[in-house]
Amino acid sequence: EDASFNNGPGKYILEFLPGGEEEITVDYFPVKDEKKTKTFKAKYYNVKLVNAISFKRPAPEREDVDSVEVTYPLEMPHLTIAPLLQSTDPRRPIRLYPDPRNLYYTNNKNTNEFIGKFNLSAYGWIDARTKNSSLDLQKLYARQGVQKNEKMDCSIGTQGRYYLSAQAVDGSEIMDFSHILHIAGVQYVIDYANKGRRGTGANGVVKDADPNFKYTEDFKVGDKLELTTYGGALGLPLPGAKVRVKISEGENKDKKYTDKILDQISIVPNPYYISHQEQSSPYDAKILFTRLPKQCKIEIYTITGDKVVTINHDEVSSDSPAQVQIWDLLSKNGQRVSSQTFAALITTPDGAQTIKNFSVIVGGFRVYGE
């Protein structure tokens, strides 16, 4: 599940390492509004996470090779994320589970503390293997260490540990675990408890008990999981990334535009349909002339040679300079043009010219709901 930040594709290897045993005391509600407290002895694994992705980048600084391989061989550190118990921003909710966005609101500034790091948090389900009601499951969802908001989501145990199913010290209930792994703004759910996610709340999935589900052996020490993410710019902003920037010569008032340079001008969309995705209503028609020189004249003609309209493009004296000019499909008389093919003659002050052909297809307009 994608969250608020993605530092690009990754291939993450999660390895389970020897751990120990921890006593975990939690609160739960077997009966509505009747809180019980129970202590469990839970065995746990420590974990190691490595980003094993590699890629080749151009190496203009090298003479012997044309590219070099970039890897991230170092172990990614674990980052403990504190719950957000209060928020000064009324638009932002209180977040008790370890959400990477808590870093921003607890520090009151946008930090990059979580880049290149990960978080592992556990959520407990008490005696939920036989419960077939979502309401019962929510009552039996274990919470720990939350002041004044005891029924809200919060991880239990120590962050950074993977817990195995545990029995209460008094020999009664069994607690199974779902774990959420945060990496680069993506959440992976390791759900041995078979309950979907972390539990209650608008974003927490609660699954009824499946009588056919088998609670077989959990992960062992030495097991490895390979987790993959896609999207974003590869390697940014991690160490080893390189950015190549090409800066063209600055334009000045003495620059001469040639016909060849003007041939780079584009007209979009071409052909123009009244139903294209940029049009939100029948009165919002627009065609864009892009990659224009700072000053030019755009003359639009029909294929029979009749001039439709003249548009003067001027970025020099404009308050909003841009290399784009919009045409609203209206002629010089203020009338909407009909479906046909047009020719645009584009001329610069020094006489360079190019001709661009484009088509307009108009007709009925209908808006459909999603």
Side-chain angles (χ1 to χ4, degrees):
E1 176 178 341
D2 189 19
S4 60
F5 177 77
N6 185 346
N7 65 2
K11 185 173 73 173
Y12 303 98
I13 307 299
L14 180 70
E15 182 178 359
F16 298 96
L17 305 176
E21 187 175 76
E22 178 182 348
E23 279 197 357
I24 301 176
T25 300
V26 296
D27 299 328
Y28 68 106
F29 297 78
V31 180
K32 185 178 181 181
D33 296 328
E34 182 181 325
K35 183 178 73 173
K36 285 192 174 183
T37 301
K38 187 76 65 172
T39 299
F40 295 81
K41 281 191 174 182
K43 293 182 179 180
Y44 66 86
Y45 300 143
N46 294 312
V47 297
K48 175 182 178 180
L49 188 72
V50 174
N51 188 358
I53 198 170
S54 64
F55 62 95
K56 289 187 176 181
R57 65 165 177 83
E61 73 279 7
R62 298 274 298 270
E63 295 182 357
D64 54 333
V65 295
D66 59 359
S67 63
V68 294
E69 186 175 38
V70 179
T71 60
Y72 304 103
L74 298 179
E75 179 180 350
M76 297 177 66
H78 181 270
L79 177 66
T80 298
I81 302 177
L84 182 64
L85 297 178
Q86 58 184 347
S87 175
T88 57
D89 188 342
R91 300 169 299 175
R92 304 296 180 181
I94 294 175
R95 300 186 181 96
L96 296 179
Y97 73 98
D99 187 323
R101 290 173 292 181
N102 285 353
L103 292 173
Y104 176 86
Y105 296 105
T106 53
N107 296 336
N108 293 319
K109 60 180 180 178
N110 189 4
T111 68
N112 294 325
E113 294 181 30
F114 53 90
I115 295 177
K117 302 178 183 179
F118 77 100
N119 175 266
L120 179 65
S121 302
Y123 300 82
W125 297 92
I126 295 178
D127 200 22
R129 298 188 180 194
T130 59
K131 300 299 180 181
N132 293 309
S133 163
S134 295
L135 181 60
D136 286 338
L137 288 175
Q138 292 185 40
K139 292 176 183 176
L140 295 173
Y141 175 63
R143 303 157 180 88
Q144 177 191 43
V146 182
Q147 300 175 357
K148 300 181 180 180
N149 289 286
E150 294 175 330
K151 295 186 179 182
M152 297 185 71
D153 296 347
C154 187
S155 65
I156 62 177
T158 302
Q159 294 180 31
R161 295 176 175 178
Y162 183 88
Y163 292 94
L164 304 176
S165 298
Q167 191 166 29
V169 173
D170 61 10
S172 54
E173 293 94 335
I174 292 177
M175 180 162 60
D176 298 302
F177 294 89
S178 300
H179 293 78
I180 292 184
L181 181 65
H182 294 276
I183 310 175
V186 179
Q187 295 181 1
Y188 295 94
V189 180
I190 307 174
D191 187 27
Y192 182 81
N194 192 39
K195 291 298 174 279
R197 199 177 170 188
R198 69 176 188 274
T200 59
N203 296 321
V205 177
V206 179
K207 292 172 60 177
D208 291 341
D210 181 357
N212 299 316
F213 183 79
K214 304 297 182 183
Y215 287 86
T216 56
E217 190 173 11
D218 206 335
F219 295 111
K220 301 178 182 178
V221 171
D223 286 346
K224 297 180 180 180
L225 293 179
E226 181 177 308
L227 310 168
T228 306
T229 61
Y230 299 93
L234 182 60
L236 294 177
L238 297 179
K242 298 290 184 181
V243 178
R244 297 183 65 189
V245 179
K246 181 179 180 181
I247 302 177
S248 60
E249 294 182 1
E251 294 186 9
N252 54 65
K253 63 180 181 179
D254 298 324
K255 180 174 179 179
K256 300 295 184 182
Y257 286 90
T258 64
D259 295 348
K260 185 177 181 180
I261 294 177
L262 293 185
D263 285 341
Q264 299 177 7
I265 295 173
S266 296
I267 301 177
V268 291
N270 185 18
Y272 166 88
Y273 292 94
I274 197 171
S275 58
H276 77 93
Q277 62 181 0
E278 290 297 325
Q279 179 141 348
S280 58
S281 77
Y283 310 104
D284 188 35
K286 59 171 70 78
I287 286 180
L288 304 181
F289 294 83
T290 67
R291 301 179 182 175
L292 293 171
K294 290 185 177 294
Q295 290 179 313
C296 64
K297 179 172 63 174
I298 304 173
E299 298 173 287
I300 300 175
Y301 296 87
T302 66
I303 57 174
T304 60
D306 296 325
K307 182 182 288 189
V308 179
V309 69
T310 298
I311 303 173
N312 290 310
H313 176 75
D314 186 356
E315 299 174 26
V316 177
S317 59
S318 172
D319 293 333
S320 301
Q323 290 183 297
V324 174
Q325 181 66 52
I326 298 175
W327 181 40
D328 57 7
L329 299 188
L330 297 180
S331 70
K332 58 185 177 181
N333 298 321
Q335 296 178 326
R336 178 64 58 85
V337 299
S338 59
S339 300
Q340 58 188 298
T341 298
F342 295 92
L345 174 62
I346 303 169
T347 308
T348 66
D350 56 9
Q353 290 186 331
T354 187
I355 297 177
K356 295 289 182 178
N357 298 322
F358 64 100
S359 298
V360 171
I361 301 173
V362 296
F365 186 91
R366 185 177 300 172
V367 177
Y368 292 91
E370 294 184 357

